[in-house]
């Protein structure tokens, strides 16, 4: 096996429980995003655009959809004779039989995969963030500073810093302290969960961490603090572009909305940094004579006769005459019936919304209460659910199999 300078390891096994019914049958990185993409397209595209051609994708929870989507890696130009993309689920060996118990343990269990390429560096990525990042620039900084590890950080408002792992640095950018969700943060450099390590050093820490029975086997909780405590050369690398963790219903909705408008916060049409996708070949979208679409993304294969405002329509969506869609995400192959009204909602794949239905409407006093901690004011319809003609689904409600989820 030819030696590689850097191998990327993409952590894609998360359950994504805060995304509710959207991740009932698929891992979070496989969730659709932006009309024709899936969340995992973004870190994979970053790898290709950064000239990193060997990527291990670590799967665990509901891996079938993700594995099928990745295939040979051809869609991302990662079907290489030497390198490429590799799906790495947990497996039984002569010495162990266990699920990945943490982010660090997932890498530890795949030491043989990494070792076969004898890399100088390992890039650790998460599979559930929306962003564009040149990992080659981060690696260049890592090498130039003679770092043992480099952590990508994003400056956040001080009032929000308590929600993140904060990297406190000296004037040279060297990390001197790590605070996990501090109540009184000293700094504002939030860890993005993106790391570059010198492989032999990381390997030794992974082995040592596994030997500790009380360890969480986690990079943020165990590996990073241990390296700082041992005085390793740890540096922060400042990132200033768009970055969104789409781990909640509200953040998934917000990230899709960030694609829309005269000046979108995040562009999918950057010719200098293409986002690759394994999108099925579909016919062009069709807009009927009565279609009225403004400030929206409409993907291939859609048939639209109604009104669409500030929304994202995925491939194969049908919107019948008289229907109104506002501030919403309609996932692949959903069907919106005649005169239905949908406001600030996420409609799952293959869902059927009946004629005259009203989604995202105000709750009436005579309607029973329901839990909105997961959704806030965003209405959520699970995949393949049918909403009856004329049915009301108030804002923030979750519908699963025709009933509240």
């Amino acid at each position: 096996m030819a030696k590689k300078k850097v191998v990327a390891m993409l952590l894609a096994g998360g359950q994504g429980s805060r995304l509710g019914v959207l991740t009932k049958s698929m891992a979070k990185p496989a969730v659709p995003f932006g009309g024709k993409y899936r969340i995992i397209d973004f870190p994979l595209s970053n790898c290709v655009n950064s000239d990193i051609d060997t990527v291990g994708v670590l799967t665990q929870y509901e891996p079938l959809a993700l594995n099928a989507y990745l295939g040979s890696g051809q869609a991302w130009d990662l079907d290489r004779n030497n390198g490429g993309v590799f799906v790495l689920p947990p497996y039984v060996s002569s010495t162990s039989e266990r699920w990945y118990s943490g982010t660090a343990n997932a890498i530890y269990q795949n030491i043989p995969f990494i070792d076969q390429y004898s890399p100088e560096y390992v890039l650790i990525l998460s599979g559930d963030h929306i962003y564009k990042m040149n990992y080659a620039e981060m690696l260049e900084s890592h090498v130039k500073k003679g770092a043992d590890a480099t952590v990508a950080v994003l400056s956040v408002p001080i009032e929000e810093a308590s929600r993140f792992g904060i990297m406190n640095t000296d004037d040279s950018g060297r990390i001197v302290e790590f605070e996990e969700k501090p109540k009184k943060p000293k700094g504002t450099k939030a860890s993005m969960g993106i790391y570059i390590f010198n492989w032999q050093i990381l390997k030794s820490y992974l082995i040592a961490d596994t030997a500790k029975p009380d360890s969480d086997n986690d990079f943020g909780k165990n590996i990073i603090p241990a390296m700082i405590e041992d005085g390793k050369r740890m540096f922060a690398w400042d990132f200033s572009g768009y970055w969104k963790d789409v781990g909640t219903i509200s953040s998934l909705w917000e990230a899709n909305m960030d694609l829309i408008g005269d000046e979108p916060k995040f562009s999918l049409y950057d010719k200098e940094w293409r986002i690759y996708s394994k999108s099925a070949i579909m016919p062009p979208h069709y807009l009927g004579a009565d279609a009225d679409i403004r400030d929206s993304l409409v993907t291939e294969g859609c048939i639209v006769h109604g009104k669409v405002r500030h929304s994202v329509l995925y491939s194969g969506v049908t919107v019948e005459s008289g229907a109104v869609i506002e501030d919403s995400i309609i996932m692949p192959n959903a069907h919106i019936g005649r005169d239905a009204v949908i406001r600030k909602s996420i409609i799952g794949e293959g869902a059927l919304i009946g004629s005259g239905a009203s989604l995202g409407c105000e709750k009436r006093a005579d309607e029973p209460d329901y839990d909105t901690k997961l959704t806030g004011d965003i209405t959520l319809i699970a995949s393949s659910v049918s909403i009856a003609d004329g049915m009301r689904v108030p804002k923030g409600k979750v519908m699963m199999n025709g009933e509240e989820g």
Side-chain angles (χ1 to χ4, degrees):
M1 193 70 68
K3 178 180 173 64
K4 295 286 183 179
K5 182 177 182 180
V6 57
V7 169
M9 299 294 280
L10 202 165
L11 299 164
Q15 181 174 353
S17 57
R18 291 181 299 166
L19 287 175
V21 294
L22 296 179
T23 50
K24 184 182 179 183
S25 59
M26 69 177 70
K28 181 163 57 170
V31 169
F33 179 84
K36 64 178 294 182
Y37 304 94
R38 300 204 179 241
I39 295 170
I40 198 170
D41 286 332
F42 294 85
L44 285 178
S45 297
N46 288 339
C47 285
V48 173
N49 292 327
S50 302
D51 295 323
I52 296 172
D53 63 7
T54 304
V55 185
V57 179
L58 285 69
T59 63
Q60 180 157 280
Y61 171 79
E62 292 287 356
L64 186 60
L66 187 59
N67 293 357
Y69 182 69
L70 292 174
S72 67
Q74 182 179 10
W76 304 269
D77 192 27
L78 287 171
D79 54 336
R80 308 294 181 90
N81 291 328
N82 179 29
V85 63
F86 300 86
V87 176
L88 303 172
Y91 61 92
V92 178
S93 70
S94 60
T95 58
S96 68
E97 182 181 350
R98 58 186 296 192
W99 293 106
Y100 297 145
S101 59
T103 54
N105 177 258
I107 304 300
Y108 169 81
Q109 290 198 41
N110 287 284
I111 286 175
F113 169 80
I114 301 173
D115 272 344
Q116 67 183 332
Y117 294 102
S118 303
E120 295 179 59
Y121 311 104
V122 170
L123 170 66
I124 309 296
L125 304 170
S126 173
D128 49 14
H129 300 151
I130 304 299
Y131 67 112
K132 302 173 189 173
M133 180 184 287
N134 191 333
Y135 303 137
E137 292 181 355
M138 183 178 174
L139 179 60
E140 182 181 3
S141 174
H142 176 89
V143 174
K144 184 177 181 180
K145 292 186 175 182
D148 297 317
T150 298
V151 180
V153 297
L154 186 70
S155 292
V156 297
I158 188 68
E159 59 271 16
E160 296 181 16
S162 60
R163 296 170 41 219
F164 300 91
I166 299 298
M167 300 289 173
N168 296 320
T169 63
D170 62 18
D171 293 339
S172 70
R174 184 166 178 171
I175 299 169
V176 296
E177 183 183 21
F178 171 67
E179 298 180 284
E180 178 64 27
K181 297 182 179 180
K183 293 182 179 179
K184 295 183 178 180
K186 301 174 185 176
T188 59
K189 293 181 182 290
S191 171
M192 300 170 69
I194 300 169
Y195 316 111
I196 293 177
F197 294 95
N198 293 354
W199 171 232
Q200 291 304 322
I201 291 175
L202 174 60
K203 182 178 174 180
S204 66
Y205 274 86
L206 292 174
I207 293 171
D209 181 70
T210 299
K212 300 175 182 178
D214 59 342
S215 175
D216 291 312
N217 306 132
D218 184 82
F219 278 102
K221 295 179 181 178
N222 306 108
I223 303 297
I224 300 294
M227 294 182 71
I228 295 173
E229 185 177 349
D230 291 346
K232 294 298 182 183
R233 291 181 60 80
M234 312 279 289
F235 286 86
W237 186 75
D238 293 297
F239 177 73
S240 58
Y242 180 95
W243 179 84
K244 179 80 79 170
D245 182 342
V246 287
T248 65
I249 293 297
S250 60
S251 63
L252 178 65
W253 181 86
E254 289 167 3
N256 274 269
M257 295 300 109
D258 286 343
L259 306 174
I260 300 169
D262 293 335
E263 296 182 4
K265 295 179 180 179
F266 187 79
S267 175
L268 296 173
Y269 309 104
D270 185 352
K271 294 181 180 179
E272 302 299 319
W273 201 265
R274 179 180 168 186
I275 304 301
Y276 297 84
S277 173
K278 190 179 179 181
S279 178
I281 298 173
M282 300 193 72
H285 57 255
Y286 173 78
L287 309 182
D290 49 350
D292 184 357
I293 303 173
R294 301 181 190 180
D295 199 21
S296 298
L297 290 179
V298 179
T299 311
E300 301 100 315
C302 289
I303 300 173
V304 181
H305 293 280
K307 181 185 292 185
V308 180
R309 296 284 187 271
H310 199 254
S311 296
V312 177
L313 272 58
Y314 286 74
S315 56
V317 167
T318 298
V319 181
E320 294 189 15
S321 295
V324 176
I325 299 172
E326 297 178 350
D327 301 319
S328 294
I329 301 163
I330 315 298
M331 292 190 171
N333 302 311
H335 188 109
I336 312 303
R338 182 181 295 270
D339 297 324
V341 176
I342 299 174
R343 293 190 170 93
K344 201 170 184 180
S345 301
I346 298 177
I347 310 300
E349 294 192 50
L352 175 62
I353 310 302
S355 298
S358 180
L359 280 62
C361 51
E362 293 293 331
K363 178 181 175 297
R364 293 192 306 219
D366 60 340
E367 292 176 323
D369 292 333
Y370 49 89
D371 188 0
T372 61
K373 288 196 291 290
L374 178 72
T375 56
D377 62 348
I378 301 167
T379 303
L380 178 61
I381 309 299
S383 297
S384 303
V385 164
S386 294
I387 301 298
D389 292 350
M391 185 174 180
R392 286 173 45 86
V393 184
K395 61 182 181 181
K397 194 168 187 178
V398 178
M399 297 300 293
M400 186 172 174
N401 298 325
E403 299 178 354
E404 183 179 351

